[in-house]
Amino acid sequence: MNKIWKSLIIDDEQLARQRLARLLEPYDEIDVVGQAVNGQDGLEKIEKLLPDLVFLDIEMPVFNGFELLHQLKHQPKVIFTTAYDQYAIKAFEEDSIDYLLKPIETERLEKTLKKLQQAQHQPIPSLSLEVLIKQMQFKKEVKTLTVKIGDKILLIKLDSIIYIEAEEKYVFLHTADGKKHLTDFTINSLEEKLPDQFIRIHRSYIINTDQIKEIRKSFNGAFVFIMNNTENARLTSSRSNGEMLRERFGI
């Protein structure tokens, strides 16, 4: 008799949660006991419901799927679901059961669930990195970031972002017009998500390298980046990033 997997769906997109729940309905071995709408909600529901299995989106507000996993006490099995193929290697390192690329198709889901049922008899072998990468069909190019202001959702173009700043639990986008926008993303998830023109120079700062006005050497191998905005923001790198920054800018 196949194991019945008490399952939780974690995804910040309502349509994605509904679609996956609908696709799972025909499978008697999957008992969906709940849904969560972001990383914090997912963490709380995992610890409360103690699911055997989690269908886990990676890119979510508050904190992403990887950040959620690192905070868990209860350790369910994990099937990642995401539209971002840049997470392939990291998902492989997390040793998940499988990796489903959105939009999830019935045939692909069925293969994953067959693999899941092996887990009641033996450990599930990791996917080879080569196979995992072949599953990625496209790369979703990020051109904007969303911020919420009341009932409005603004799309902030990446080119207009001068730098990103983490202040305690909050993350802000500083834009060329001198505005400071609060975002639901974590700075760790933005570091993963953003293209190569954005680099993290400090635990609290990600800068747009196209918006650097001047670089100055500071103490202990650190650098000061003077940004190309109205206030000429001065951002100091961490000493630990010194070697990476010297190689990046040839200094």
Side-chain angles (χ1 to χ4, degrees):
M1 180 177 177
N2 285 340
K3 173 183 174 67
I4 303 299
W5 295 87
K6 186 166 68 170
S7 305
L8 180 67
I9 298 172
I10 305 177
D11 197 308
D12 65 313
E13 297 178 9
Q14 182 179 0
L15 292 179
R17 295 195 306 273
Q18 292 173 342
R19 174 180 170 80
L20 180 54
R22 186 171 64 251
L23 290 175
L24 290 170
E25 283 178 0
Y27 298 94
D28 294 336
E29 65 269 31
I30 303 296
D31 177 19
V32 178
V33 296
Q35 299 182 16
V37 300
N38 57 45
Q40 180 64 47
D41 188 28
L43 177 62
E44 292 172 359
K45 286 183 176 173
I46 288 174
E47 301 299 354
K48 178 181 179 181
L49 299 174
L50 303 179
D52 306 306
L53 174 67
V54 171
F55 292 88
L56 181 62
D57 187 21
I58 295 179
E59 187 57 59
M60 295 183 293
V62 185
F63 41 78
N64 66 34
F66 297 117
E67 292 169 330
L68 181 155
L69 290 179
H70 294 157
Q71 297 182 62
L72 288 179
K73 296 178 182 177
H74 174 69
Q75 296 291 335
K77 295 191 180 297
V78 177
I79 296 174
F80 285 116
T81 63
T82 186
Y84 294 97
D85 66 340
Q86 68 261 39
Y87 291 103
I89 293 177
K90 199 165 186 180
F92 171 79
E93 291 171 347
E94 294 287 345
D95 200 23
S96 63
I97 289 172
D98 211 342
Y99 187 105
L100 295 173
L101 188 66
K102 297 178 183 177
I104 299 169
E105 301 297 335
T106 302
E107 183 178 352
R108 182 67 182 81
L109 176 62
E110 186 169 347
K111 290 180 180 179
T112 294
L113 295 180
K114 286 181 179 178
K115 183 181 178 186
L116 172 66
Q117 287 300 340
Q118 299 173 7
Q120 61 182 312
H121 304 300
Q122 60 189 38
I124 299 176
S126 299
L127 292 174
S128 72
L129 186 56
E130 180 181 3
V131 171
L132 188 59
I133 292 175
K134 284 182 178 179
Q135 292 172 2
M136 304 301 103
Q137 300 299 313
F138 66 92
K139 182 171 183 176
K140 186 171 180 179
E141 183 180 359
V142 179
K143 296 182 179 179
T144 62
L145 293 177
T146 58
V147 297
K148 297 176 183 177
I149 301 179
D151 295 333
K152 297 180 181 179
I153 298 177
L154 301 183
L155 299 179
I156 307 298
K157 293 182 178 180
L158 296 191
D159 290 343
S160 72
I161 298 173
I162 305 296
Y163 68 99
I164 298 163
E165 180 182 22
E167 295 181 8
E168 297 181 350
K169 296 181 180 179
Y170 303 101
V171 176
F172 297 94
L173 310 179
H174 292 261
T175 50
D177 57 7
K179 294 182 179 179
K180 181 178 178 180
H181 301 278
L182 176 65
T183 179
D184 286 334
F185 294 105
T186 66
I187 197 165
N188 288 337
S189 65
L190 288 174
E191 183 181 15
E192 297 280 357
K193 178 186 185 73
L194 292 172
D196 291 342
Q197 77 193 68
F198 289 86
I199 60 170
R200 192 166 185 176
I201 64 167
H202 186 276
R203 64 190 301 270
S204 298
Y205 299 123
I206 294 174
I207 64 172
N208 183 347
T209 58
D210 292 342
Q211 297 289 352
I212 297 172
K213 185 176 183 178
E214 186 179 334
I215 304 175
R216 298 180 183 178
K217 291 183 179 180
S218 185
F219 298 105
N220 299 321
F223 296 92
V224 176
F225 291 84
I226 301 174
M227 305 306 294
N228 191 28
N229 57 349
T230 53
E231 63 268 26
N232 290 328
R234 300 166 63 95
L235 308 176
T236 303
S237 71
S238 62
R239 184 174 59 179
S240 60
N241 282 329
E243 184 63 32
M244 178 273 290
L245 294 172
R246 279 191 291 273
E247 289 184 11
R248 175 67 180 262
F249 296 103
I251 52 180

